[in-house]
C-alpha cells in the first residue's frame, strides 16, 4: 500500500519548472540543470523537442567545462535520436535540431571522439502501433539522472502531446551574453541620466548666482569682482544649458537599445546560444 502511494504521488508530482532549470544552469550547477531539464523533458504533456533544448545545452556546457567527450557524444545522441523520432511542432523547429545535430557531428569528428553506437533507435514515437512490434518493453521511458552515452530519449510528450503555447518559437532562456550587454547599456543610460540631473542642478545654481549679483547691485555700478563673478556664472549657465539635453538624448538612446537587446525575439531556427568554434566560442542569434 505504501509503495502504491509513493508511485501515485510521484506520477502526480509536477515536472520541474523551466525557471528552476535555467537558474541552475546560469549558476553553473550544470549537473543539476541537466537533471532538471531531463525530468521536464520526460514529463507527460511537455513538448519534448522544446524541453530537450535545455538537456542539449547542459550537455554541451558540461563538455566545454570538463572536456569529457562522453557529454558531447550524449548531446549528439539527443539530437539524432529526436530527429529519428520526429514529433516536431513546426518545420522551423525541425530545422533547428538538424543544425544542432550537424554541429555536434562536426565537433565529434573534430576531436576524434569514439562515440558508442546507441543500442536502440526508437522510430515509432510519432504514431502508436499497439498491435505490432513485440519489443517495446526494451525501451526505458524514463531517463536516469546521471549522464549516459546513449542520451536521453523521453518517450512521453513526443508522441501525441500538444505543444505548449509558443513552445515552437520560444527559446529556453535569454542568452547570458545578451543579458550582460543589456545590463551594461542600461547602466550607462542610468549614469547619463544622473549626469543630466546634476547638470540641471548646477545650471539652476548659476542662474541663482546671476540673480543674486543683479539684486545686490541695484542702484549702483557693478564692482570688478561682481562683473567677474557674473561673467563666470553666465558662462556656466550657457554651457550647462547645452549639456543637459545632449546627456538626455544619449541616455534615452542607451536605455532604448538596452531594452531592444534584452527583449528582441530570438530566431527560432538557430536559437541564440554559445557554440564551440575554431578558436573558442561563437555567440550567435
Amino acid at each position: 500500500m505504501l509503495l502504491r502511494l509513493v508511485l501515485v504521488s510521484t506520477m502526480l508530482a509536477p515536472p520541474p519548472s523551466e525557471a528552476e532549470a535555467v537558474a541552475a544552469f546560469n549558476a553553473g550547477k550544470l549537473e543539476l540543470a541537466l537533471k532538471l531539464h531531463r525530468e521536464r523533458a520526460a514529463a507527460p504533456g511537455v513538448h519534448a523537442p522544446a524541453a530537450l533544448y535545455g538537456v542539449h545545452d547542459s550537455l554541451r556546457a558540461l563538455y566545454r567545462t570538463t572536456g569529457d567527450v562522453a557529454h558531447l557524444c550524449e548531446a549528439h545522441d539527443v539530437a539524432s535520436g529526436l530527429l529519428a523520432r520526429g514529433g516536431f511542432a513546426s518545420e522551423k523547429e525541425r530545422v533547428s535540431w538538424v543544425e544542432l545535430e550537424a554541429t555536434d557531428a562536426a565537433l565529434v569528428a573534430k576531436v576524434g571522439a569514439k562515440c558508442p553506437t546507441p543500442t536502440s533507435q526508437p522510430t515509432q514515437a510519432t504514431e502508436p502501433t499497439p498491435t505490432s512490434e513485440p519489443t517495446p518493453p526494451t525501451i526505458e521511458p524514463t531517463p536516469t539522472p546521471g549522464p549516459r552515452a546513449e542520451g536521453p530519449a523521453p518517450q512521453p510528450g513526443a508522441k501525441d502531446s500538444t505543444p505548449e503555447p509558443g513552445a515552437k518559437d520560444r527559446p529556453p532562456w535569454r542568452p547570458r551574453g545578451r543579458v550582460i550587454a543589456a545590463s551594461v547599456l542600461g547602466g550607462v543610460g542610468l549614469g547619463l541620466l544622473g549626469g543630466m540631473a546634476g547638470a540641471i542642478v548646477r545650471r539652476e545654481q548659476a542662474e541663482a548666482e546671476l540673480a543674486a549679483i543683479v539684486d545686490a547691485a541695484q542702484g549702483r555700478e557693478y564692482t570688478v569682482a561682481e562683473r567677474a563673478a557674473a561673467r563666470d556664472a553666465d558662462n556656466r549657465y550657457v554651457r550647462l544649458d547645452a549639456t543637459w539635453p545632449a546627456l538626455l538624448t544619449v541616455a534615452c538612446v542607451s536605455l532604448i537599445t538596452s531594452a531592444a537587446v534584452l527583449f528582441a525575439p530570438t530566431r527560432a531556427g538557430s536559437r541564440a546560444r554559445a557554440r564551440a568554434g575554431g578558436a573558442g566560442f561563437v555567440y550567435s542569434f
Side-chain angles (χ1 to χ4, degrees), residues 49 53 56-57 60 90-104 168-173 175 178 264-276 282-285:
Y53 278 129
H56 186 274
D57 286 348
R60 288 278 291 273
S90 66
E91 178 62 18
K92 292 172 66 177
E93 188 176 59
R94 189 192 69 81
V95 170
S96 174
W97 278 101
V98 169
E99 293 178 359
L100 290 178
E101 194 276 336
T103 304
D104 292 339
K168 61 182 181 179
D169 295 322
R170 183 191 63 200
W173 58 79
R178 290 175 60 179
T266 304
R267 185 162 57 93
S270 61
R271 303 184 68 254
R273 57 164 34 85
R275 301 180 181 177
V282 179
Y283 202 88
S284 60
F285 290 88

Side-chain angles (χ1 to χ4, degrees), residues 34-86:
L34 176 61
K35 177 179 179 294
L36 295 176
H37 279 302
R38 276 177 168 161
E39 292 176 358
R40 177 173 172 78
V46 175
H47 184 52
L52 283 176
Y53 278 129
V55 175
H56 186 274
D57 286 348
S58 299
L59 289 169
R60 288 278 291 273
L62 281 169
Y63 165 68
R64 291 193 297 268
T65 56
T66 64
D68 188 354
V69 294
H71 297 305
L72 179 59
C73 291
E74 188 174 357
H76 180 249
D77 288 344
V78 170
S80 59
L82 183 59
L83 289 174
R85 291 192 305 274

Side-chain angles (χ1 to χ4, degrees), residues 135-169:
T135 58
T138 60
I139 301 175
E140 297 180 2
T142 57
T144 57
R148 298 181 295 154
E150 327 175 323
Q155 303 304 314
K159 288 186 177 181
D160 48 3
S161 62
T162 57
E164 295 177 329
K168 61 182 181 179
D169 295 322

Side-chain angles (χ1 to χ4, degrees), residues 10 18 89 124 130 135 154 176 215 234 244 256-257 278:
T10 302
E18 184 180 10
Q124 52 180 5
T135 58
R176 185 181 301 176
D215 291 339
D234 182 70
W244 76 262
I256 293 173
T257 305

Side-chain angles (χ1 to χ4, degrees), residues 223-243:
T223 65
V224 176
E226 288 175 340
R227 290 181 184 277
R231 188 177 300 107
D232 178 72
D234 182 70
N235 290 337
R236 279 188 287 119
Y237 180 90
V238 172
R239 183 177 67 255
L240 294 170
D241 190 62
T243 299

